[in-house]
Amino acid sequence: MRSERSRPAGQGRLSALWLLPLQTVLMVGVGLMVTGPLADQWPVSAEEGISRALAAHRGGPATPFSDWLSLLAGTQSVIALTFLAVAAMLAFSRGRWLREAVFLAGAVAAQSAVFLLVTMVVERSRPHVPQLDAAPPTSSFPSGHVGASVALFGGLAVLAALRMRGERRWLRHALVTTLLLIPLLVAFSRVYRGMHHPSDVVGGLLNGACTLLVMTHALLLPARPRPPAHAVFGAVPAGRLPTQSLPAARAASHDGAARRAVVVRHPHGCGAELAERVEDILRHHGYADQTWTATSAEHAAGSLGERIAEEDPALVVVCGGDGTVRACADLLAGTGIPLAVVPCGTGNLLARNLRLPADPAAALEAALSGQTARIDVGRIRADGFGSGRFTVMAGAGFDAAMVADASERVKQRLGWAAYVLSAARHLGDPRMRLSIRLDGGPVRERRARMVVIGNVGSLQGGLPLLPDARPDSGRLDVVLVDPGGVRGWLAAAKHLGARMLPGRAEPGPGGTYGTAAGGALEYFSAVRIDIRFARPQPRELDGDVIGAGTRLNAEVEPGALRIWLPPRTPSTPAEQGRSAVARGTAGDAGCSEPAPHAPGG
């Protein structure tokens, strides 16, 4: 077992920074060719004519627009914008984007260093035309304005492309395209204003682009390629989890260096004895190279983010409850790195819904003896919180107040029963006034004691709060709970209890949508859910309190999380029928068994 300090940060990838001296030599070579043997050759020989033609046709809105672009790419502007971007990343991510901030600041600084070194060797005069800006005492080759704009705006485009995978695709594409267009416009403006030859701005583009390639490889990309985006976010047919069997997974990562596991350990839930059992099980399954990181109040996933970036593990194991799993899933969603859950928390609802064994070590052994599957995750955006993912449920009102009021000491002694004691104290809480909008449809005005958005459906004891919710449906389910007094609570409990009886566990698609229990329960299903509360309400995310607020917006990310699940033999005729369909549709991929399904009740 290796501690997280046993490996130097970024080992094996920060060595890419040694390419910067090579880049400097390359740029010097290009500059000497442009000012030497190629000076009298086309197209370099035609550059003075291009500058004169542009100078002769200046006027109209192009001149003030080019002035604005030159100001935008000037030294002071680039430094100020870089500082603001870095500060914003660190502030809004609460320090989780430290690597991204270092990448952006490093790209701008490295580009400037290479630029200054090249201008010390390459001497090239400015174009012989009237110049609209004051000419700095540096060589015209390469363009510093263009190189700086590529490093800054191109760097932001790289971050948007790599880190906005959970956002709307059109928004990400629009942002990346806009950011990449700015350096091209700056390049044209520098030629238009008579400050550089065309080959000078091409040199600036080349300098900035090479810097971004080096810094991206050194700080952002893993040691081996991630799976393509379509493999992560491709559509997942409802009712089926795409799987990969254990032999196939081992064959895909036969290289010993790839059999690396990062274990995230909650120190209270996972004691020393369990940690030893987890280590032994991982070794038995071929994961001899292990890095362990402990969670804390400030870092719910430990240093998993840094471990993913630096070590590119073949497996992440989470030893903890739903809150720890959620924090780790938030980092793993969209990466293709598989997750294995060792359920040792208070609720362990994800493990229960995926039918993992209750014993933590047995759950890990069973999962690694099975296959991987892709499940959905939900992305929450809420005022005062920002955004984050969940794997189980998000809610507001009664359930969030119950979670917030549960004593940590009582939870350690009684487990999930501590929530029952907390719930009793909030049965008399006032109803909420809220509006709910599904997939951009009409706004519905409602009153409720609580609202729960679920990726899975069952609570402790198998109570099916959301009977139709499935982690592979590509949708999220919602229930509004609004019982009228004791009679309403009893009606809701009777309805939910009846779903647990034989023959009532699987109602079929849409079987519970609408009202039930005399109006005490109302169900919805959607891809995107927007909820607004008339007054700030307590809210929770997979059992973690996120504070009171007036908004709760959720959107599903289909198949975003890859997870190890144990093999399962269907036990009911309905399950056998679905399994036969799954075997038929998965046969082309060589999967011998379908992945386990989440329980319907």
Side-chain angles (χ1 to χ4, degrees):
M1 185 194 311
R2 292 186 296 117
S3 71
E4 54 191 85
R5 294 186 297 272
S6 61
R7 164 178 281 207
Q11 180 179 346
R13 296 189 303 119
L14 287 179
S15 58
L17 295 177
W18 287 105
L19 292 173
L20 291 175
L22 181 61
Q23 174 186 333
T24 304
V25 174
L26 171 65
M27 292 302 304
V28 168
V30 173
L32 293 178
M33 291 291 291
V34 169
T35 58
L38 298 181
D40 297 327
Q41 304 293 323
W42 189 91
V44 178
S45 61
E47 290 185 331
E48 284 290 343
I50 295 175
S51 297
R52 286 194 295 270
L54 288 175
H57 293 85
R58 291 172 184 163
T63 299
F65 183 58
S66 67
D67 182 48
W68 179 81
L69 287 170
S70 287
L71 178 63
L72 180 66
T75 301
Q76 294 181 344
S77 298
V78 167
I79 293 175
L81 291 174
T82 302
F83 177 80
L84 290 175
V86 167
M89 282 190 285
L90 294 177
F92 287 109
S93 71
R94 299 179 182 178
R96 289 184 300 171
W97 275 38
L98 176 61
R99 184 171 296 275
E100 287 78 1
V102 172
F103 159 78
L104 185 64
V108 173
Q111 181 281 145
S112 299
V114 174
F115 161 75
L116 291 175
L117 291 173
V118 173
T119 57
M120 293 174 64
V121 179
V122 179
E123 295 184 4
R124 192 181 197 192
S125 60
R126 305 279 171 177
H128 300 295
V129 295
Q131 296 164 359
L132 300 183
D133 295 331
T138 56
S139 171
S140 182
F141 181 94
S143 171
H145 280 66
V146 174
S149 65
V150 172
L152 173 56
F153 299 106
L156 291 173
V158 169
L159 292 177
L162 294 179
R163 297 296 188 257
M164 290 181 64
R165 294 181 177 181
E167 307 297 330
R168 294 186 178 91
R169 184 174 298 178
W170 68 266
L171 177 62
R172 184 173 74 249
H173 288 173
L175 180 59
V176 170
T177 300
T178 301
L179 289 169
L180 292 179
L181 185 61
I182 293 176
L184 297 178
L185 293 174
V186 170
F188 175 78
S189 73
R190 299 304 287 168
V191 177
Y192 175 86
R193 298 180 68 80
M195 304 308 300
H196 292 287
H197 304 280
S199 58
D200 300 332
V201 299
V202 171
L205 292 171
L206 179 63
N207 184 32
C210 288
T211 304
L212 286 181
L213 286 174
V214 172
M215 299 301 293
T216 300
H217 182 75
L219 294 172
L220 299 183
L221 294 184
R224 56 186 171 90
R226 299 282 191 221
H230 63 78
V232 176
F233 290 103
V236 181
R240 175 177 151 234
L241 292 171
T243 66
Q244 182 181 28
S245 65
L246 179 62
R250 285 180 172 170
S253 58
H254 58 82
D255 183 5
R259 306 294 292 170
R260 179 179 301 130
V262 172
V263 183
V264 180
R265 175 191 176 193
H266 192 292
H268 299 297
C270 181
E273 181 179 351
L274 177 57
E276 291 180 2
R277 295 176 66 189
V278 168
E279 182 181 1
D280 290 341
I281 292 171
L282 289 175
R283 289 184 183 276
H284 174 72
H285 285 272
Y287 297 95
D289 187 0
Q290 302 173 27
T291 299
W292 288 62
T293 176
T295 67
S296 65
E298 296 78 18
H299 303 285
S303 61
L304 178 61
E306 290 81 358
R307 302 284 75 78
I308 291 173
E310 294 171 4
E311 303 186 20
D312 188 37
L315 172 69
V316 170
V317 179
V318 181
C319 304
D322 289 317
T324 307
V325 173
R326 181 194 70 81
C328 296
D330 195 13
L331 297 172
L332 290 174
T335 67
I337 300 173
L339 168 71
V341 177
V342 179
C344 49
T346 303
N348 303 320
L349 288 183
L350 181 63
R352 293 172 187 268
N353 278 270
L354 296 177
R355 295 187 174 177
L356 291 171
D359 179 76
L364 178 61
E365 177 64 45
L368 295 182
S369 298
Q371 59 274 316
T372 62
R374 294 195 184 275
I375 66 172
D376 308 335
V377 297
R379 174 179 282 272
I380 281 288
R381 293 178 177 83
D383 56 311
F385 170 73
S387 67
R389 295 180 174 92
F390 68 95
T391 60
V392 182
M393 297 175 185
F398 171 77
D399 70 318
M402 173 188 68
V403 169
D405 202 27
S407 166
E408 288 297 329
R409 173 184 291 183
V410 177
K411 285 196 293 183
Q412 291 178 13
R413 293 183 177 182
L414 300 181
W416 64 266
Y419 292 123
V420 177
L421 299 178
S422 177
R425 293 194 289 267
H426 292 279
L427 288 175
D429 287 357
R431 302 161 73 198
M432 305 179 294
R433 286 197 303 114
L434 60 91
S435 63
I436 182 171
R437 188 177 186 184
L438 308 172
D439 293 332
V443 175
R444 297 174 168 91
E445 301 291 339
R446 294 291 190 271
R447 289 180 179 269
R449 299 282 183 183
M450 72 176 182
V451 54
V452 175
I453 304 170
N455 187 43
V456 297
S458 295
L459 302 178
Q460 283 85 358
L463 186 68
L465 181 62
L466 293 162
D468 285 343
R470 301 174 63 85
D472 63 337
S473 64
R475 302 176 69 82
L476 296 172
D477 280 36
V478 189
V479 61
L480 301 180
V481 182
D482 188 28
V486 176
R487 182 175 298 179
W489 283 109
L490 291 176
K494 180 181 178 181
H495 174 80
L496 295 176
R499 312 285 318 175
M500 302 176 65
L501 298 177
R504 296 294 304 277
E506 305 216 358
T512 60
Y513 302 141
T515 59
L521 304 170
E522 185 173 11
Y523 295 93
F524 305 96
S525 177
V527 173
R528 189 175 69 256
I529 301 145
D530 302 320
I531 301 175
R532 291 182 178 270
F533 305 100
R535 295 181 178 180
Q537 299 295 333
R539 300 167 299 179
E540 59 89 10
L541 211 59
D542 282 358
D544 288 338
V545 178
I546 61 173
T550 59
R551 289 185 290 111
L552 197 65
N553 302 331
E555 186 171 2
V556 70
E557 294 182 0
L561 183 63
R562 187 177 167 203
I563 190 168
W564 277 98
L565 297 177
R568 177 187 170 204
T569 302
S571 57
T572 67
E575 290 174 349
Q576 292 171 1
R578 281 202 312 275
S579 296
V581 174
R583 282 195 296 271
T585 54
D588 293 339
C591 300
S592 58
E593 294 186 62
H597 295 293

